[in-house]
Amino acid sequence: MSDSAGSVTTVKIYNQTYGIRGDDPEYIRQLAAMVDRKMCEVAEYTPTVDSTKVAILAALNIADEYMAARERLDRIEDHVNERTGQMNKMLEACVDPA
């Protein structure tokens, strides 16, 4: 593999060590910490010791958070687009009064 793929950053997720290749080690560590926190939260409230099940439930929780954030962002973008359209109409009326 070429050096352009980035260096390997070692992270620990749910008591397992992984070598993750990427260009931004700090970002990789942040992602790993988020996944580790989520897996630990799930394990605390789920009566299972199966790490695969914990990982799946954590992934579902992360996906739910992502979808909720995406919906909020979409609503904000819609609002901004609506307001931008209104402002453009107001500006056009000032520049070219009919």
Side-chain angles (χ1 to χ4, degrees):
M1 202 164 232
S2 70
D3 289 336
S4 64
S7 60
V8 174
T9 302
T10 302
V11 296
K12 199 167 204 173
I13 302 172
Y14 204 60
N15 296 320
Q16 295 289 320
T17 302
Y18 299 91
I20 309 294
R21 185 174 299 277
D23 293 328
D24 188 345
E26 183 55 33
Y27 181 68
I28 292 169
R29 282 190 282 276
Q30 289 174 355
L31 291 175
M34 183 181 91
V35 171
D36 183 60
R37 275 192 309 275
K38 190 57 71 176
M39 287 183 71
C40 289
E41 285 174 19
V42 166
E44 186 177 332
Y45 295 105
T46 305
T48 182
V49 293
D50 183 354
S51 62
T52 301
K53 288 182 182 178
V54 170
I56 300 258
L57 291 171
L60 286 170
N61 277 280
I62 292 168
D64 178 54
E65 291 172 6
Y66 168 80
M67 293 296 286
R70 184 71 228 176
E71 287 175 13
R72 284 191 305 274
L73 179 59
D74 287 345
R75 283 194 304 273
I76 291 168
E77 286 176 343
D78 289 345
H79 180 72
V80 167
N81 288 336
E82 180 183 324
R83 295 291 292 169
T84 301
Q86 292 171 351
M87 285 188 264
N88 280 337
K89 287 179 185 177
M90 292 169 64
L91 286 171
E92 287 172 3
C94 291
V95 172
D96 187 22

